[in-house]
Amino acid sequence: MLSFLRNAKILGLLTLLTATSVTAKGTLGIKAAKVAVTSPDGLNDATYTLKEPTPLPSPIALSENTNFKLAFTVIDTTSGESMYPQQAHLLLEGLQSDDDDVTLPITVKSNGKAQITINAAKPHPALLTTRGKFHLTLILSSLDEYTPLAYPLGELSIPESILQPRPRKRHDLPPRAGEPAFQPEQELFHTFKEDPKTVGWTKSGAGIIVTLAPWGVLFVFFGKLLPSLNFQAPPVSSYVFLLVLAAIETLIFIYWVGLKLYQLLPPFLALCAIAAYSGLIALREQRERRLKAGGTP
């Protein structure tokens, strides 16, 4: 079943590439194709000659220090001349249905000579997170001129010792019973609007003391001057002026306790204007009384 699906996949790829080559001049092919397996000690070296469509005679298993080298020349099978394809890749398909395929580019020169080397000591990073067993397919195409080539080469395996753990996909089951498939992430917190800051009791108390201190000084001096004063009832404007001053002091006290600056300014400015006007009227009336009593201007 797996072989049927793989053949169907390659057949579909060939059909797609062929459909884009309506005006094809010829068919892509290869000649002088060889596979060389080499190692530093030379004990397991081997060379295989390939002729399309015959694959490798047996699967190739690489050790940790083994190199796999595929070399060939790209030709136009109609004329037999070498040519440069637009695309040249080696497709490594996993042998199991859930394996990810890996596509490696093949280096091709202008004269059509091509080669690709898989070094088991320094493999391509995409090979490290696989199961290490592949079915090889050589793919050549020149989309606007030639019929493409998909040549199954055989099977190749790389040593398991160089492989890395496969990344767990989102919906993979846990490897052991009881282990969660999803691990909890750190909870995110975001404050859209901070709570308003309140004034501490220490600052509030200090503000009250500063606010009431002038009144305390006034009462002290007034107590000392009271015996020598000939008290007369002041005019009504003086009471109004004192009442406005008391309102200003009360407003400042309320501001220290719980108001914002923008809440304080409108009534504060209005009371200051009223206090200035009422104070001016009170001073004028006091001056008139003093002049009537024989005082100096």
Side-chain angles (χ1 to χ4, degrees), residues 206-230:
I208 294 174
I209 294 174
V210 173
T211 303
L212 298 180
W215 288 97
V217 174
L218 177 62
F219 289 145
V220 170
F221 284 104
F222 183 76
K224 292 181 179 181
L225 295 175
L226 184 61
S228 61
L229 293 178
N230 184 13

Side-chain angles (χ1 to χ4, degrees), residues 199-209 256:
V199 180
W201 288 103
T202 303
K203 293 183 178 180
S204 299
I208 294 174
I209 294 174
W256 276 100

Side-chain angles (χ1 to χ4, degrees), residues 117-133:
T117 301
I118 299 177
N119 185 356
K122 297 180 180 180
H124 192 279
L127 300 175
L128 297 178
T129 55
T130 63
R131 286 192 170 91
K133 297 181 179 181

Side-chain angles (χ1 to χ4, degrees), residues 16-26 142-148:
L16 177 61
L17 295 176
T18 305
T20 62
S21 307
V22 179
T23 60
K25 297 180 181 179
S142 185
L143 300 180
D144 56 349
E145 296 182 359
Y146 296 90
T147 302

